[in-house]
Amino acid sequence: MSALESLIRIHRWQIDERRRQLSELEVLAEHVRQDLLRLAEERRLEEAAANATFEASHGFPGYLRGALDRRATLERSLIEIGEQIVRARDALAEAFQEMKRYEIAAANRERHRQHQADRRERIDLDAVALENFRRRTGTA
């Protein structure tokens, strides 16, 4: 196995790892979005319960402060995860470009090898043809 083939294999592995990391971040972002939706629904239900009875309305301000804090925390987390997703996509694109460079170099090297082999074969066939011609014409 050539050094280029080894580099290509390493970069393919890195691309797979970066794809996995990106996928995990996207799943995490979706979980945070779902948590935000659940929190909004919970807040709506709590507000309806607080409006239903006088006793429940006394506990609602404390709940509301906590819910607003959780929402702010979730929104910050979502922003941070979004930034990580952008960085992960950039890293994936960079790794893919690097792997492509190595693949192109390997293809060029193989094309050069094939060209040289074809050239050697043509030279050998020309030598055989020339020898056959000389034997037929008696000029050797």
Side-chain angles (χ1 to χ4, degrees):
M1 177 179 284
S2 74
L4 278 176
E5 290 170 346
S6 296
L7 286 170
I8 290 169
R9 284 186 57 202
I10 289 169
H11 279 80
R12 281 190 182 139
W13 178 82
Q14 287 177 344
I15 286 172
D16 289 342
E17 283 299 305
R18 286 186 168 81
R19 281 183 181 149
R20 183 188 57 76
Q21 291 169 351
L22 179 59
S23 175
E24 288 174 357
L25 287 170
E26 288 171 344
V27 166
L28 183 59
E30 185 57 32
H31 285 303
V32 171
R33 283 188 209 98
Q34 291 299 319
D35 288 346
L36 280 167
L37 291 174
R38 279 193 293 276
L39 184 61
E41 179 63 20
E42 180 183 302
R43 179 181 171 187
R44 188 187 64 75
L45 293 173
E46 287 292 327
E47 190 171 356
N51 288 334
T53 64
F54 179 74
E55 294 83 20
S57 66
H58 289 295
F60 185 70
Y63 164 79
L64 187 57
R65 278 190 296 275
L68 291 175
D69 288 345
R70 283 187 295 183
R71 185 178 78 188
T73 301
L74 288 172
E75 287 172 346
R76 281 192 305 271
S77 295
L78 191 56
I79 289 169
E80 184 179 315
I81 293 168
E83 292 168 353
Q84 290 176 2
I85 287 173
V86 168
R87 286 192 299 270
R89 284 185 180 147
D90 290 345
L92 176 60
E94 184 179 317
F96 186 75
Q97 287 174 348
E98 190 142 345
M99 183 193 70
K100 277 299 181 191
R101 277 193 289 260
Y102 291 127
E103 285 179 341
I104 289 169
N108 288 342
R109 183 177 282 177
E110 182 56 34
R111 193 171 36 253
H112 180 70
R113 273 192 209 129
Q114 186 62 45
H115 177 72
Q116 291 298 329
D118 291 346
R119 184 174 171 271
R120 282 191 298 274
E121 184 178 356
R122 273 194 314 275
I123 290 170
D124 290 344
L125 289 175
D126 287 348
V128 169
L130 184 60
E131 184 62 32
N132 285 339
F133 176 77
R134 285 182 186 155
R135 284 183 187 166
R136 275 184 288 171
T137 59
T139 57

